[in-house]
Amino acid sequence: MNAKGRIEKIRNIGIIAHIDAGKTTVTERILYYTGRSHKMGEVHDGEAIMDWMVDEQERGITITSAVTTCQWRGSEIQLIDTPGHVDFTIEVERSLRVLDGAIGVFCAVGGVEPQSETVWRQADKYRVPKIAFINKLDRVGADFWGTIEMMKDKLNANPLVLQLPVGAEDDFEGIIDLINMEKIVWDDETLGVNYLALEIPEDLIQIARDYREKLIESVADSDDEIMEAYLAETQIDSERLQAAIRKATIDLELVPVLCGSALKNKGIQPLLDAIVGYLPSPVDIPPMQGVDPDTGETRLCEAIDKAPLAALIFKVSMIEGRKLSFVRIYSGRMKAGEDVYNPFRKKKEKLSRILRMHANKRERIDHTGAGSIVGVIGLKESSTGETLCSSDHPVLLEKIEFYEPVISVAVEPKTHADQEKLDQVLEKFMAEDPTLQVKRDEDTGQTIVSGMGELHLEVIISRMLREFRTQVNVGKPQVVYRETIEKQTEGSALFDKEVAGQRHFGEVSLRLKPLARGTGNKFRSQIEAEIIPPIFIPAIEKGILESFESGALMGYPVVDVEAVLVGGSYKESLGTDLAYTVSASMACKKALAKGNPFLLDPIMAVEVYVPESFMGDVIGDLNSRGGKIEGIESRSGTQVIKTIVPLARMFGYSTSLRSATQGRGTFSMQFSHFDRA
């Protein structure tokens, strides 16, 4: 097969969803039916292939996104199973950054849950075409059409129903395929490997015709040829229809919807057909854009093997002490043993090995080309979000955005030997996980580890113990607050000192002004060039931004403040960047202290799912935590309470919710905004 033909047969896809919608179970079935694995691993038994970490197996959730490759009908599917828990949302973000398509898995009982909305929006941000799989149709309370409505309301999606479920809950037996107008049922004895395409029963034929009509109507809106055939009432063959659906899916106009029950082995083969049939190959999407680091000009990285190399490191893992980098190749080729260039660090690195990944198993390959997702060993300095290219054709791809942590714990080593290990282990974790931050508290000598949530930090501490045998004492979780000011204020500072035999002079006057919540920090200058030459303005801005990192009240980062440069002075031949950076920082600190600084709490958006009989107790508990109820809605026999609560008041909430609801209540929580407590 020629190179272009090979790339057209690649599907780089991710499975995204809320926690417990069945992503990993869907992935396990895909691996089984494509012949990639010979045994179905179940999440609840701790045996899922993709959940290979001990913490994942014990908790029954996905923590780290795992990559695998399988074949279906002549196409190569490179699949990433992503976590559903909000604490590991960065794993989804960086996976979607390098994927060409995604499957949104929805639980037919829960519908579109909060984390489903988050990951769907992340996919929208990167303009990733999607198909939807409505799972768990065998469960009590399953509501196929309810989930479709929620997709429209909550995700602003345009769902295109390609299949109808036959039966529901315990009676769910198969699906009706509206493209080929047939009923598909699966054989339980062969674990769903064998399935039959049957005629649609008479009692369902009219419903199937009606929905096929609606399907054609929806596709006709985005395809002129189908529209003409539809208006002329001529027969539209399934191949022509599928081609139109594929184009509309890739253009982000429609989201094909399929259904089934992964746990009961129903619906997976048509899903595989849809992945190959409707989701794009690397050549179907616009070429990745980068910039030339020397000239700043835009460069297109086309999915061609013969083009110059452009690849993005989207994840780093420390496996058995070795650094494994996960790389998506957008254009060009990679060969083991060759040098690649990192334009961000301006350094060359050697690719000692290239690996095709299958969860935590690896297969060595000699070379690979455009469109591939591979593991690479040998990159010493390059890290997540950085570009690899050829030194003759340097290109910088857009970096991945990371989230700010909202919660911290203090850790201290139990013995002197653990102290040395602790620093090394945390360095490895930070290389793996950009949302993890570590700093040393100079007053107490403790190490402060900050992350995205209680579970995130729990897993880090657990891995420290398990994987690296590092014994630590852990403090109680602490909230990472922000600081801001209440009133407009001014500050001035002069720096005039001799440093290393050279005199440095700089004087700066600033005005600080509080901004609306969520605006961020701003800087502007309103002075004439003769007061301070423009060449020193970047140094002043640097000093201000550095002082915003640690507020006057309790040392938390300062947000929502505008700093305006209103004055200062300059002495010929004595003005230096150092002097202006230091004086700006001092002036900013003075002004912050005079501006009535106060703390901002991280406020969380919480959804609590409870049976109706426990509503009163749960609402009472939320009110006592300072929660503000924003709405209550009924969803398939369960009440969903939507509220916003300060994070500081949510510690230990899962325990009190369980005891208030006899273990039947569940909740999900994600960061909303910072606000005054």
Side-chain angles (χ1 to χ4, degrees):
M1 192 188 293
N2 65 16
K4 186 167 188 291
R6 176 191 70 79
I7 299 169
E8 282 175 349
K9 292 287 185 188
I10 292 176
R11 300 288 181 273
N12 289 319
I13 60 150
I15 297 198
I16 59 172
H18 186 87
I19 190 165
D20 210 24
K23 290 180 303 305
T24 303
T25 307
V26 169
T27 311
E28 292 297 317
R29 299 308 185 264
I30 286 175
L31 296 181
Y32 185 70
Y33 297 137
T34 56
R36 194 71 179 81
S37 66
H38 302 293
K39 175 179 178 286
M40 284 186 200
E42 299 297 7
V43 176
H44 50 263
D45 297 333
E47 290 179 357
I49 292 161
M50 300 301 272
D51 287 351
W52 55 271
M53 279 168 61
V54 179
D55 277 289
E56 294 180 312
Q57 292 166 353
E58 277 188 3
R59 296 167 195 271
I61 61 167
T62 303
I63 289 168
T64 174
S65 46
V67 182
T68 191
T69 309
C70 55
Q71 309 285 331
W72 184 255
R73 310 231 157 136
S75 289
E76 181 177 308
I77 299 173
Q78 300 186 117
L79 185 71
I80 301 185
D81 175 27
T82 65
H85 196 286
V86 66
D87 284 15
F88 308 106
T89 211
I90 186 63
E91 288 285 339
V92 187
E93 180 89 18
R94 56 186 177 183
S95 300
L96 285 168
R97 170 71 173 77
V98 297
L99 291 169
D100 304 328
I103 304 165
V105 177
F106 300 101
C107 166
V109 182
V112 177
E113 294 165 288
Q115 188 61 8
S116 306
E117 289 183 62
T118 306
V119 294
W120 197 269
R121 278 195 209 101
Q122 285 171 303
D124 282 342
K125 179 167 105 182
Y126 293 117
R127 297 190 61 75
V128 176
K130 300 168 282 291
I131 57 180
F133 181 72
I134 298 179
N135 191 25
K136 302 194 178 185
L137 283 166
D138 58 308
R139 287 259 310 269
V140 174
D143 183 355
F144 177 76
W145 295 110
T147 306
I148 300 274
E149 285 309 309
M150 287 171 84
M151 284 178 69
K152 291 178 192 168
D153 297 343
K154 293 197 165 189
L155 306 176
N156 266 344
N158 192 358
L160 180 73
V161 178
L162 302 187
Q163 298 174 350
L164 303 177
V166 179
E169 302 181 352
D170 288 347
D171 299 328
F172 175 65
E173 56 173 292
I175 59 160
I176 288 174
D177 173 0
L178 297 175
I179 302 281
N180 299 308
M181 287 301 275
E182 56 194 17
K183 175 184 170 183
I184 302 175
V185 292
W186 280 264
D187 174 21
D188 291 339
E189 283 182 20
T190 60
L191 296 178
V193 172
N194 295 338
Y195 56 100
L196 294 171
L198 309 169
E199 275 191 26
I200 300 173
E202 279 196 17
D203 57 330
L204 295 174
I205 191 77
Q206 194 50 50
I207 295 169
R209 282 180 186 144
D210 292 346
Y211 277 103
R212 190 174 201 270
E213 183 93 352
K214 285 182 183 172
L215 185 156
I216 293 170
E217 217 172 281
S218 300
V219 177
D221 288 341
S222 56
D223 189 291
D224 294 342
E225 235 180 273
I226 299 275
M227 177 63 88
E228 281 171 29
Y230 174 64
L231 293 174
E233 295 186 4
T234 54
Q235 191 64 35
I236 299 167
D237 66 40
S238 53
E239 269 179 40
R240 180 67 198 87
L241 191 54
Q242 282 171 309
I245 294 170
R246 176 183 178 79
K247 185 179 181 304
T249 305
I250 293 170
D251 293 344
L252 305 177
E253 289 174 7
L254 294 171
V255 177
V257 179
L258 299 93
C259 60
S261 164
L263 191 65
K264 295 287 163 69
N265 312 314
K266 292 176 168 64
I268 301 298
Q269 292 93 336
L271 177 63
L272 281 160
D273 290 341
I275 290 168
V276 172
Y278 305 130
L279 289 179
S281 73
V283 295
D284 293 321
I285 52 171
M288 176 55 64
Q289 284 193 0
V291 291
D292 186 311
D294 303 324
T295 64
E297 285 174 25
T298 301
R299 292 247 322 261
L300 293 181
C301 308
E302 297 201 40
I304 306 168
D305 284 350
K306 287 180 179 161
L309 175 68
L312 185 78
I313 303 168
F314 67 95
K315 180 178 160 78
V316 170
S317 264
M318 294 291 174
I319 295 180
E320 293 153 16
R322 297 194 72 176
K323 182 174 171 182
L324 171 66
S325 305
F326 290 82
V327 175
R328 160 73 196 259
I329 302 168
Y330 286 102
S331 66
R333 293 181 70 74
M334 263 187 181
K335 198 167 190 299
E338 285 187 344
D339 284 347
V340 288
Y341 179 64
N342 179 333
F344 179 74
R345 299 189 183 266
K346 299 185 167 49
K347 291 221 165 123
K348 280 190 172 180
E349 297 248 50
K350 190 174 245 6
L351 302 170
S352 50
R353 287 186 192 172
I354 301 174
L355 308 166
R356 185 175 282 128
M357 303 302 298
H358 178 46
N360 62 335
K361 297 185 176 62
R362 310 181 274 289
E363 174 193 333
R364 280 180 76 163
I365 52 176
D366 183 46
H367 58 84
T368 186
S372 300
I373 293 176
V374 290
V376 169
I377 288 178
L379 304 177
K380 289 187 172 63
E381 295 190 40
S382 304
S383 73
T384 304
E386 292 175 12
T387 307
L388 300 176
C389 57
S390 58
S391 45
D392 328 344
H393 294 86
V395 63
L396 259 175
L397 301 174
E398 186 191 349
K399 284 185 74 105
I400 301 167
E401 286 176 25
F402 300 129
Y403 297 86
E404 288 295 313
V406 293
I407 190 168
S408 303
V409 290
V411 295
E412 49 191 34
K414 285 191 175 174
T415 68
H416 190 65
D418 287 322
Q419 175 66 61
E420 286 173 25
K421 268 164 73 180
L422 178 65
D423 296 339
Q424 292 169 356
V425 168
L426 287 173
E427 210 170 287
K428 285 179 177 169
F429 284 153
M430 283 166 72
E432 276 191 21
D433 184 349
T435 58
L436 190 72
Q437 289 184 7
V438 176
K439 67 176 185 191
R440 199 166 175 78
D441 187 323
E442 297 305 330
D443 301 333
T444 63
Q446 290 174 316
T447 301
I448 308 294
V449 181
S450 308
M452 299 297 293
E454 281 183 276
L455 182 64
H456 185 199
L457 295 179
E458 260 178 49
V459 168
I460 293 292
I461 305 296
S462 164
R463 286 185 62 197
M464 246 182 231
L465 226 71
R466 272 210 175 100
E467 290 174 38
F468 299 97
R469 307 259 180 275
T470 311
Q471 303 289 330
V472 289
N473 294 318
V474 184
K476 278 191 169 155
Q478 300 286 323
V479 173
V480 179
Y481 294 97
R482 295 287 184 272
E483 294 184 19
T484 192
I485 55 172
E486 197 163 39
K487 63 175 189 180
Q488 187 165 300
T489 167
E490 295 199 355
S492 301
L494 169 72
F495 184 85
D496 187 0
K497 282 191 180 151
E498 199 168 287
V499 180
Q502 184 192 345
R503 191 170 159 211
H504 297 261
F505 178 91
E507 185 181 13
V508 169
S509 293
L510 300 172
R511 184 186 325 122
L512 300 188
K513 188 174 137 195
L515 297 173
R517 281 302 75 81
T519 312
N521 293 328
K522 291 183 179 172
F523 167 77
R524 63 188 171 90
S525 167
Q526 59 177 47
I527 59 165
E528 306 294 326
E530 52 268 21
I531 298 176
I532 298 174
I535 191 170
F536 295 118
I537 301 297
I540 292 171
E541 184 176 4
K542 181 180 173 223
I544 292 166
L545 294 178
E546 280 175 4
S547 68
F548 279 165
E549 285 171 16
S550 165
L553 198 61
M554 290 173 75
Y556 289 111
V558 176
V559 293
D560 303 336
V561 174
E562 181 182 50
V564 184
L565 178 61
V566 291
S569 64
Y570 164 73
K571 284 189 179 172
E572 190 75 47
S573 79
L574 297 179
T576 63
D577 279 353
L578 171 71
Y580 281 108
T581 298
V582 175
S583 58
S585 180
M586 287 157 52
C588 194
K589 290 272 185 222
K590 284 181 187 173
L592 284 170
K594 293 190 293 187
N596 291 1
F598 62 90
L599 284 184
L600 293 173
D601 264 346
I603 306 293
M604 309 305 280
V606 181
E607 287 201 0
V608 189
Y609 300 79
V610 290
E612 196 155 347
S613 50
F614 300 109
M615 283 268 290
D617 293 349
V618 171
I619 289 173
D621 183 29
L622 288 168
N623 287 336
S624 72
R625 293 170 186 271
K628 207 161 117 193
I629 309 290
E630 295 203 311
I632 298 171
E633 61 182 60
S634 181
R635 201 179 291 170
S636 56
T638 304
Q639 297 297 317
V640 183
I641 305 165
K642 295 184 178 186
T643 174
I644 54 170
V645 193
L647 174 62
R649 310 288 294 275
M650 286 300 285
F651 291 132
Y653 182 63
S654 52
T655 312
S656 64
L657 178 65
R658 273 201 297 272
S659 59
T661 61
Q662 297 171 9
R664 291 165 65 195
T666 59
F667 78 104
S668 68
M669 173 169 82
Q670 61 191 56
F671 173 72
S672 170
H673 61 283
F674 281 99
D675 210 344
R676 197 167 192 158

